[in-house]
Amino acid sequence: MIDFTDPTFLQDPYPLLNAVREETPIFEQRGDDGIQRWFLTRYDDVFRVLRDRRLGRVPEPIMSRSDVGLPPLRSDWGPYNDVEQWSLLMLEPPEHRRLRQLIFREFTPKRIEGLRPTIVDHADRLLSEASEKRHFDLLADFAQPFSIHVIAELLGAPIEDWSRYLDWSHRIVKMYELDTTDDQAESAVRASDEFASWCQDLIAERRAHPADDLISGLCTVETSDGRLSDSEITSTIVLLLNAGHEATVNSLGNGMVSLLATPGAWDSVRSGRVTSRTAIEEMIRFDPPLQLFERWVLADGVSYAGRDFARGEKIAMLFGSANRDPRHFKDPDQFIVDRGDTTHITFGGGIHTCIGAPLARMELSVALERMTAMMPDLRLAEPPIRHPAFVIHGYESVSLSAQSVVGSP
Ligand code: HEM
């Protein structure tokens, strides 16, 4: 029903997503990976599935891979399977609860608010450098280094390696698409191997010389089940470094394109009529950076969108479609800069709700605040080109120009 590789669809998926959602709340489609999925298109169903404990991100421990028709894990993907094994995203209770509680302590709104001065400094420095160019790329010149510096600082990861995290992460997240090619899979496996051995060295170093940072905390913490294993720590570092920037970078790119393309929206934020905290909620609702998440049905009696599901079936939730559902949002295809509605699906919900949401919101609002202050006449310099991928939804580059630049205080 939807060709997720069609370049026209990828450039702007919303006309087709809207048409399909209005025609049906659910449709069935087999992916290139051979998996049959039931796609949910409407807000209420996606909202409820995210919170339904009868569904899981992975079949285990309730069912096995073979119960749900999955082949055994590919042995030639060993390093990738290893880094995914203890990723929070791939765990269900009780392991999920144990790891999430440890990480959550570092991501409370209070702890994140304390990072504000550092985040402002990074934004100011990078914007000053970017403004020296006639046109700058919002993603490569600002959003990527900005977001990576912030997450690396929070974790205590050596910042001089930032371009390596970026490369590893870009290659690994290709595995989350619906149409990953063999070449992309092979590259993701190699990236996982390199990333994991880099983590091993870092873990050894922090065990020997603990610092006051999240990675040292993970290396030394004593829980009621004992210390975390090296595999658990490695998966957590990889997840936090990847999740900690990919979606934030694309949120800023997608959001700034929407904001600058909407007459009057930029001026409303620049003049202070709309706060950046309010504006970013619409930026992430209107064009979310992660378009699809999946769940396995792990119990009997599950029913959504008028269909009864059998155990072992797979549900795919279309986040961008849910965020444009007129049953929940008024005029959903309008970018309304002061809408300020935080009930969008963008950060998920239920036990896997984004742990980094307070950090992402802080980064996005600081970036917007500093751009409006330092580059008051910022505008799109060229029509931006989309990345040819659906799940991780963003631009290749977003070229901007600013005539006048106000120095940071
Ligand atoms: C605008 C930026 C971001 C968006 C849109 C976003 C979105 C999401 C979503 C939708 C999920 C839930 C996945 C699911 O239900 O299956 C998630 C999980 C997660 N996110 Fe984010 N994220 C963002 C930024 C961040 C940042 C900055 C971090 C920081 C480290 C982060 C860390 C995580 C982690 C660790 C999980 C797994 C939580 C769990 O499984 O319990 N995210 N994110």
Side-chain angles (χ1 to χ4, degrees):
M1 200 155 188
I2 295 182
D3 176 358
F4 290 102
T5 59
D6 174 4
T8 313
F9 171 72
L10 294 176
Q11 184 62 30
D12 179 8
Y14 300 105
L16 185 56
L17 289 176
N18 288 348
V20 173
R21 185 191 54 244
E22 294 317 303
E23 192 186 315
T24 178
I26 185 166
F27 66 92
E28 183 190 14
Q29 191 164 310
R30 188 178 291 278
D32 288 349
D33 53 9
I35 296 177
Q36 189 78 7
R37 294 174 172 82
W38 290 92
F39 288 84
L40 294 179
T41 62
R42 296 187 182 165
Y43 181 94
D44 280 351
D45 290 318
V46 172
F47 183 90
R48 286 190 300 125
V49 163
L50 284 166
R51 289 158 181 78
D52 190 335
R53 300 292 300 279
R54 298 170 301 170
L55 300 123
R57 278 206 54 125
V58 286
E60 300 92 351
I62 293 169
M63 294 175 80
S64 68
R65 289 179 66 87
S66 63
D67 289 339
V68 300
L70 282 177
L73 287 174
R74 282 180 58 163
S75 55
D76 54 332
W77 286 5
Y80 170 75
N81 297 335
D82 289 347
V83 296
E84 288 288 286
Q85 188 185 359
W86 294 104
S87 158
L88 263 193
L89 276 174
M90 298 295 164
L91 293 178
E92 290 298 322
E95 283 85 4
H96 177 265
R97 196 175 311 116
R98 171 167 161 260
L99 259 184
R100 183 160 169 124
Q101 278 170 354
L102 283 177
I103 303 168
F104 186 70
R105 296 203 290 244
E106 307 292 334
F107 285 91
T108 58
K110 189 163 167 242
R111 173 98 164 82
I112 300 304
E113 193 53 46
L115 289 178
R116 175 181 274 276
T118 318
I119 297 179
V120 171
D121 283 352
H122 283 310
D124 284 358
R125 177 177 51 78
L126 288 161
L127 286 173
S128 302
E129 286 167 19
S131 67
E132 283 163 20
K133 301 183 177 177
R134 200 168 68 87
H135 291 172
F136 70 95
D137 178 1
L138 176 68
L139 305 182
D141 293 329
F142 178 71
Q144 286 170 354
F146 173 61
S147 203
I148 292 211
H149 274 73
V150 172
I151 188 67
E153 192 147 323
L154 180 64
L155 293 182
I159 195 58
E160 57 278 15
D161 289 334
W162 76 269
S163 52
R164 301 175 77 194
Y165 316 141
L166 195 66
D167 173 56
W168 290 329
S169 161
H170 283 344
R171 287 156 63 196
I172 292 173
V173 298
K174 286 281 176 272
M175 293 297 250
Y176 305 148
E177 295 297 334
L178 293 170
D179 55 346
T180 312
T181 63
D182 287 346
D183 284 351
Q184 287 170 334
E186 197 196 306
S187 171
V189 171
R190 273 188 282 112
S192 306
D193 197 24
E194 293 162 25
F195 209 161
S197 71
W198 177 89
C199 287
Q200 273 306 312
D201 293 345
L202 187 60
I203 294 169
E205 197 259 322
R206 291 300 152 84
R207 286 226 168 96
H209 309 287
D212 179 20
D213 58 40
L214 199 151
I215 292 177
S216 302
L218 292 173
C219 292
T220 52
V221 74
E222 293 281 352
T223 70
S224 49
D225 304 310
R227 288 199 163 190
L228 294 183
S229 67
D230 283 12
S231 312
E232 287 172 317
I233 302 171
T234 299
S235 292
T236 305
I237 296 174
V238 171
L239 170 67
L240 290 176
L241 278 173
N242 288 357
H245 73 90
E246 287 282 353
T248 315
V249 169
N250 287 325
S251 295
L252 198 60
N254 297 354
M256 283 300 291
V257 171
S258 311
L259 182 82
L260 291 169
T262 304
W266 173 256
D267 283 340
S268 299
V269 184
R270 196 186 43 76
S271 65
R273 193 181 68 71
V274 177
T275 63
S276 63
R277 279 191 180 258
T278 299
I280 60 145
E281 296 301 333
E282 183 68 345
M283 287 162 65
I284 56 181
R285 176 199 72 87
F286 191 73
D287 196 13
L290 302 172
Q291 290 278 332
L292 177 132
F293 280 96
E294 300 178 325
R295 296 291 187 266
W296 292 100
V297 178
L298 302 176
D300 295 324
V302 172
S303 167
Y304 282 101
R307 180 175 188 277
D308 296 331
F309 288 88
R311 278 156 56 96
E313 287 191 308
K314 196 165 208 188
I315 292 182
M317 297 167 281
L318 291 165
F319 278 26
S321 171
N323 274 358
R324 299 279 188 115
D325 187 344
R327 293 159 197 78
H328 186 83
F329 298 101
K330 188 165 182 292
D331 298 328
D333 290 322
Q334 306 279 320
F335 181 92
I336 302 175
V337 66
D338 60 354
R339 185 190 295 267
D341 188 335
T342 56
T343 65
H344 52 71
I345 295 289
T346 305
F347 288 117
I351 66 164
H352 290 284
T353 301
C354 180
I355 221 167
L359 177 64
R361 286 187 157 115
M362 164 79 75
E363 287 182 54
L364 294 172
S365 63
V366 165
L368 185 55
E369 243 162 65
R370 300 312 303 148
M371 279 190 274
T372 48
M374 293 171 69
M375 301 173 165
D377 59 3
L378 192 68
R379 59 179 183 80
L380 283 170
E382 286 161 25
I385 311 284
R386 279 282 181 204
H387 220 34
F390 176 66
V391 178
I392 313 263
H393 173 71
Y395 289 100
E396 299 265 5
S397 69
V398 175
S399 177
L400 299 180
S401 72
Q403 296 291 310
S404 50
V405 177
V406 182
S408 57

